[in-house]
Amino acid sequence: MPKTQTKAELIKLFHILIGEIGFDNDDKLALLGEYGVSSSKDLKPMQLMEICQRLQGVRSPSFCEKDKWRKRLIGAIGAWLKTMDKDKGNNLPLIKGIACRAARCKGFNNIELSSLRGLYFAFRKQEKMAQSAKALSIEQMQEIILGAIERVKNERY
């Protein structure tokens, strides 16, 4: 967790994690009671960071696995886009839109784990193919230029 998060961001993360884990209001109050408060707003930033780290450790392994594959897929699509156009590789909404269309899913976080894996490998393959095509084109251009230089040299002598 980055140290640059504001208290408001930590409170938001706290509530997101509570929801992901499935804590009800009583569970949340019990957790806050360990710190002697009844509201997340009453916690100090360091306490919020500590609680968020604890909650992240409690999240289900399947959630963590899906999150890992989501990040991988974003990276793979971004790399694929960069091989074609440097500016598009950093456009997160575009990347998520491509992933959703490829998975035939309305929301990026709704993509199933098996689809995340499959799409990751498919986009990695596409990126490698695009890089190979670029490398081949460069090699072909070099051969053409070197051949032209040789012909010019031979014509002079």
Side-chain angles (χ1 to χ4, degrees):
M1 194 172 338
K3 293 181 181 180
T4 59
Q5 286 181 312
T6 65
K7 184 173 179 177
E9 291 170 333
L10 289 168
I11 290 171
K12 182 178 178 181
L13 177 61
F14 168 76
H15 288 283
I16 289 170
L17 292 170
I18 290 288
E20 286 176 356
I21 293 169
F23 277 15
D24 61 14
N25 196 44
D26 292 335
D27 295 327
K28 181 177 83 170
L29 290 174
L31 180 61
L32 291 171
E34 293 177 24
Y35 292 86
V37 297
S38 59
S39 171
S40 57
K41 293 177 183 176
D42 298 330
L43 292 167
K44 295 177 182 167
M46 288 304 294
Q47 292 173 320
L48 279 165
M49 285 179 66
E50 181 183 316
I51 289 177
C52 288
Q53 287 173 347
R54 284 177 52 197
L55 292 173
Q56 285 174 331
V58 172
R59 283 194 299 196
S60 69
S62 65
F63 176 86
C64 294
E65 184 74 7
K66 280 180 80 172
D67 193 49
K68 179 174 70 174
W69 282 99
R70 281 187 202 106
K71 290 174 182 170
R72 286 180 177 174
L73 179 58
I74 287 169
I77 294 173
W80 172 69
L81 286 171
K82 282 180 185 176
T83 60
M84 295 181 289
D85 184 351
K86 292 180 184 175
D87 296 334
K88 290 183 180 177
N90 297 323
N91 187 335
L92 190 58
L94 174 65
I95 291 170
K96 287 182 175 182
I98 291 169
C100 289
R101 282 191 298 277
R104 295 187 178 109
C105 193
K106 289 186 179 185
F108 183 71
N109 290 334
N110 297 333
I111 301 173
E112 293 296 322
L113 181 59
S114 59
S115 295
L116 290 168
R117 286 184 183 132
L119 290 171
Y120 166 78
F121 289 113
F123 278 101
R124 290 287 295 149
K125 184 176 180 180
Q126 288 296 321
E127 180 215 353
K128 288 178 184 177
M129 288 173 50
Q131 286 178 345
S132 296
K134 276 187 172 182
L136 182 62
S137 298
I138 291 169
E139 288 173 7
Q140 288 174 337
M141 290 300 291
Q142 287 174 342
E143 287 177 21
I144 292 168
I145 292 168
L146 290 175
I149 291 171
E150 285 298 316
R151 281 192 301 275
V152 169
K153 282 183 182 177
N154 290 336
E155 288 174 6
R156 287 185 184 173
Y157 300 106

